[in-house]
Amino acid sequence: MDLATHLDVRIKGDLGPEDFVTVLLAEFAPGEVRLVNCGHPAPLRIGLRAEPLTPSRRSAPLGLNPLPRLQRVRLGAGERLLLYTDGLSEARDAKGTMFPLGDRVREAACQPHLRECLDTLLSLATAHAGGSFQDDLALIMCEPRRTTPMGDAGKPHDSCVVHEQLITPQPGRGIDGAD
């Protein structure tokens, strides 16, 4: 929460009267993820279903006097977490229909490796949007893993595996991906 407040103070002077910045801060700890969400799309916890981790009280984006709150969420073995920008949730097909986020995320999350999950999700979104996005798209997929190195108490400790993709629309050229 302190970081979000500090960031808000820091950028306010650089923003115009109608400008704002959404931000989602995530800290991974054994068995949980700690989130501070200021106006950003809620991440999805993917287990038996894709569940949006919507904060109990929403905060305004940075630059609009946010009231950041800490949200602690269990993230267990076998669950994944998808952080994404609205370029994914607002991707539209030729008829203007938005990307069916929950259904497609579950479909993509069935892949055994994070890279394959994101590749599948990106392919589904690209097909839905007809090959081009109107907005930037960032995808980050995480999952907890039990590691073999011993922690302080001589027991295995948890870590988090992360894979990301960033897509930037190119005027007249569709998308250009980097990972």
Side-chain angles (χ1 to χ4, degrees):
M1 292 185 322
D2 291 342
L3 178 57
T5 302
H6 175 76
L7 289 171
D8 182 57
V9 169
R10 169 60 185 90
I11 68 168
K12 265 189 181 173
D14 296 331
L15 299 176
E18 295 183 23
D19 293 337
F20 61 88
V21 176
T22 67
V23 66
L24 176 65
L25 304 172
E27 177 184 24
F28 295 90
E32 74 176 7
V33 60
R34 299 169 190 145
L35 302 168
V36 175
N37 189 337
C38 296
H40 202 274
L44 295 175
R45 178 174 47 195
I46 307 155
L48 297 175
R49 59 191 175 101
E51 172 190 8
L53 299 177
T54 306
S56 59
R57 280 199 244 167
R58 295 183 186 260
S59 173
L62 302 183
L64 299 176
N65 301 314
L67 297 172
R69 301 216 185 311
L70 178 65
Q71 178 185 14
R72 297 174 85 126
V73 179
R74 182 190 59 76
L75 188 60
E79 293 182 317
R80 291 178 169 165
L81 185 69
L82 176 67
L83 297 91
Y84 60 95
T85 59
D86 60 2
L88 178 66
S89 56
E90 295 177 3
R92 297 177 187 270
D93 66 11
K95 297 177 185 174
T97 305
M98 285 195 199
F99 184 66
L101 189 60
D103 294 341
R104 296 302 178 248
V105 168
R106 270 300 290 137
E107 184 178 337
C110 292
Q111 303 298 322
H113 302 289
L114 296 182
R115 180 178 185 84
E116 294 167 351
C117 290
L118 289 183
D119 289 346
T120 299
L121 184 56
L122 182 57
S123 293
L124 292 167
T126 301
H128 178 82
S132 67
F133 294 94
Q134 301 303 311
D135 198 356
D136 290 353
L137 170 63
L139 304 172
I140 300 173
M141 180 83 72
C142 313
E143 70 181 355
R145 293 270 173 101
R146 182 66 81 182
T147 58
T148 53
M150 296 298 167
D152 294 338
K155 298 178 184 175
H157 64 283
D158 292 332
S159 67
C160 184
V161 178
V162 177
H163 190 76
E164 49 82 23
Q165 293 246 359
L166 174 64
I167 306 300
T168 305
Q170 301 294 315
R173 293 184 34 219
I175 61 171
D176 177 41
D179 56 324

